[in-house]
């Protein structure tokens, strides 16, 4: 089913900084969100995700000089009720004294939408969110997942131009989160509404985001598609925040990085002469460290493998086994192999890394 929503708009933040009582919590940030795009703000606690979202909602004002536009409308000075945004908070903030129907229809009532139209719209949303059987229950009788869907339906009822979601799944247990994440994904694709989704859960960010903004300490570290962020992290902060990363340290010469248990070929982008922005000179800064993901390594004949080491630990995880390999690099390496592979502790192994999977980080 479809809901006749207003056309989605692009959003532009220009030099939006935020200072609370003399403390700068957000550095001036520039951000463009395409019409209909789902942009995820990802980062550790306190990095400024909610503050950014609240500025877009109209619940906080950026410091002087910051500007927020929805399409061609400059909304910087508009309060939340005039921005046409739908918002879902981590806590849901539902009205406990109203029924499901009452909660979803609340915004329509406030806006004096004619009763028949409002009723139809609430019925559509109840169906869309699979809440029909609960329509007349008070909020207190709903499960966490049902409450989350009521909050989403309430945000959508007023036909927002922009949907703002602040950790909407965080309050739920792990299983429910996984299934609602898939529902959420389907729903956002179907609605095609410009959405900003805040989370500190990388799996959520990967599944839901058309693009992800990785933030840390009030700054944007990287903006990119989930694949960009995962395979081409801009720096260590991003790389360490997303997924698991192995480190190979040693000396590089003659096109290889020599480390404890062998050598790996330097990735082509790491050997090219590079301009040093700070010195404006050309240098060959061959890396002392390279990184790779556990799933990008494979077991190989020790005689011809890049690295040699021994199995220190094997964790069987069902579809895969995660091996801890010692002696191959200064740090133990984590590598993923098929679940059926069984290797005892102390087994000598060869480990090679897939071509193009080595990452050099600044
Ligand atoms: N109203 C406020 N007054 C003073 N400081 C604030 C206020 N709101 C947020 N801060 C501070 O701004 C910083 C960013 O907060 P914000 O809520 O945006 O973080 P967050 O990324 O959403 O974190 P979390 O994942 O924990 O929700 C924090 O250091 C926080 O203490
Ligand atoms: Mg927050």
């Amino acid at each position: 089913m479809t809901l006749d929503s207003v056309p989605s708009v692009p959003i532009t933040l220009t030099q939006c900084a935020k200072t609370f009582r003399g403390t700068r919590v957000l550095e001036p940030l520039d951000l463009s969100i395409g019409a209909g795009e789902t942009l995820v703000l990802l980062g550790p606690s306190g990095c400024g995700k909610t503050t950014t979202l609240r500025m877009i909602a109209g619940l906080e004002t950026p410091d002087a000089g910051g500007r927020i536009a929805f399409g061609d409308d400059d909304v910087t000075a508009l309060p939340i009720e005039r921005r046409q945004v739908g918002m879902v908070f981590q806590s849901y903030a539902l009205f406990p004294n109203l029924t499901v129907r009452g909660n979803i229809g609340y915004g329509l009532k406030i806006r004096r939408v004619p009763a028949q139209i409002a009723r139809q719209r609430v019925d559509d949303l109840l169906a869309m969110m699979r809440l029909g059987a609960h329509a007349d229950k008070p909020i207190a009788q709903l499960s966490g997942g049902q409450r989350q869907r009521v909050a989403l339906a309430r945000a959508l009822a007023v036909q927002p131009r922009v949907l703002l979601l602040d950790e909407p799944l965080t309050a739920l247990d792990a299983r429910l989160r996984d299934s609602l994440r898939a529902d959420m994904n389907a729903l956002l694709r179907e609605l095609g509404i410009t959405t900003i989704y805040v989370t500190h859960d990388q799996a959520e960010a990967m599944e839901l985001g058309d693009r992800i903004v990785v933030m840390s300490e009030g700054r944007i570290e990287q903006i990119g598609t989930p694949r960009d962020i995962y395979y081409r992290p801009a720096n260590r902060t991003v790389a360490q925040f997303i997924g698991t990363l192995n480190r190979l340290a040693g000396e590089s010469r003659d096109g290889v990085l020599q480390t404890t248990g062998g050598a790996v070929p330097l990735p082509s982008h790491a050997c090219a002469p590079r301009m040093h922005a700070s010195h404006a000179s050309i240098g060959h800064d061959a890396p002392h460290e390279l990184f790779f993901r556990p799933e990008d390594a494979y077991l190989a004949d020790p005689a011809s493998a890049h690295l040699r080491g021994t199995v220190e630990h094997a964790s069987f995880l069902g579809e895969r086994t995660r091996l801890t390999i010692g002696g191959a690099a200064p740090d133990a390496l984590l590598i993923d192999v098929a679940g059926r592979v069984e290797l005892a502790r102390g087994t000598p192994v060869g480990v090679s890394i897939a071509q193009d999977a080595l990452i050099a980080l600044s």
Side-chain angles (χ1 to χ4, degrees):
M1 65 149 291
T2 55
L3 282 164
D4 45 328
S5 50
V6 274
S8 55
V9 288
I11 302 173
T12 317
L13 276 69
T14 312
Q15 290 293 295
C16 285
K18 185 66 193 174
T19 306
F20 287 115
R21 286 181 231 104
T23 308
R24 175 70 76 85
V25 301
L26 271 185
E27 299 302 324
L29 66 86
D30 292 316
L31 197 56
S32 296
I33 302 142
E37 182 178 25
T38 298
L39 188 84
V40 172
L41 304 183
L42 175 70
S45 186
C47 71
K49 305 180 296 292
T50 296
T51 305
T52 306
L53 198 74
R54 287 172 59 86
M55 289 197 307
I56 297 169
L59 292 167
E60 302 284 1
T61 324
D63 293 352
R67 195 174 153 268
I68 300 174
F70 288 1
D72 294 329
D73 298 347
D74 186 330
V75 299
T76 317
L78 283 189
I80 185 167
E81 63 274 14
R82 295 186 49 205
R83 288 195 188 186
Q84 277 182 276
V85 296
M87 190 155 178
V88 176
F89 301 91
Q90 181 174 345
S91 58
Y92 311 146
L94 295 170
F95 306 115
N97 52 330
L98 297 182
T99 61
V100 167
R101 189 179 277 288
N103 267 278
I104 298 174
Y106 183 80
L108 301 172
K109 200 165 162 186
I110 295 291
R111 285 170 177 73
R112 297 177 196 282
V113 171
Q116 204 183 338
I117 295 171
R119 188 169 178 91
Q120 184 59 52
R121 188 152 180 86
V122 171
D123 284 343
D124 287 350
L125 284 158
L126 285 166
M128 176 182 239
M129 298 295 172
R130 291 178 277 117
L131 287 166
H134 309 289
D136 299 310
K137 286 185 185 170
I139 294 301
Q141 286 177 22
L142 301 186
S143 72
Q146 290 161 346
R147 286 178 205 208
Q148 190 269 342
R149 298 206 298 273
V150 174
L152 201 53
R154 186 180 62 177
L156 291 170
V158 297
Q159 294 174 298
R161 292 193 285 179
V162 170
L163 187 60
L164 304 172
L165 305 170
D166 194 352
E167 311 224 19
L169 305 181
T170 301
L172 306 170
D173 71 58
R175 257 184 115 84
L176 193 54
R177 275 178 85 147
D178 286 353
S179 77
L180 285 176
R181 195 168 78 208
D183 288 352
M184 184 76 87
N185 195 11
L187 182 72
L188 294 180
R189 307 285 145 207
E190 185 181 337
L191 290 172
I193 185 171
T194 310
T195 301
I196 304 175
Y197 190 105
V198 166
T199 183
H200 59 257
D201 180 319
Q202 50 161 300
E204 230 168 271
M206 296 272 177
E207 179 163 356
L208 298 176
D210 291 313
R211 286 185 305 153
I212 298 172
V213 178
V214 183
M215 298 178 66
S216 143
E217 296 179 1
R219 280 173 219 282
I220 294 178
E221 297 285 346
Q222 187 172 6
I223 305 178
T225 63
R227 277 167 196 279
D228 283 338
I229 303 275
Y230 192 77
Y231 291 115
R232 288 176 292 280
N235 55 43
R236 277 162 208 261
T237 311
V238 175
Q240 280 157 4
F241 193 69
I242 311 269
T244 304
L245 209 61
N246 288 300
R247 187 177 78 105
L248 299 175
E251 254 185 70
S252 50
R253 65 180 120 83
D254 305 330
V256 300
L257 179 86
Q258 191 77 44
T259 185
T260 322
V264 294
L266 291 178
S268 49
H269 61 271
C271 342
R274 228 188 281 179
M275 283 291 281
H276 286 280
S278 50
H279 303 106
S281 67
I282 292 174
H284 289 263
D285 48 355
H288 300 291
E289 289 180 322
L290 290 172
F291 300 83
F292 66 93
R293 304 280 181 196
E295 68 275 20
D296 285 331
Y298 55 95
L299 295 177
D301 178 357
S304 55
H306 292 144
L307 305 170
R308 279 152 289 281
T310 48
V311 175
E312 284 182 351
H313 184 76
S315 302
F316 173 60
L317 301 169
E319 82 286 3
R320 66 198 157 99
T321 296
R322 177 158 286 192
L323 301 175
T324 307
I325 310 284
D331 305 335
L333 302 179
L334 297 175
I335 75 162
D336 287 346
V337 295
R340 292 192 185 277
V341 174
E342 262 190 277
L343 287 169
R345 195 190 153 116
T347 309
V349 288
V351 174
S352 287
I353 292 126
Q355 213 183 344
D356 299 330
L358 286 163
I359 304 168
L361 290 173
S362 48

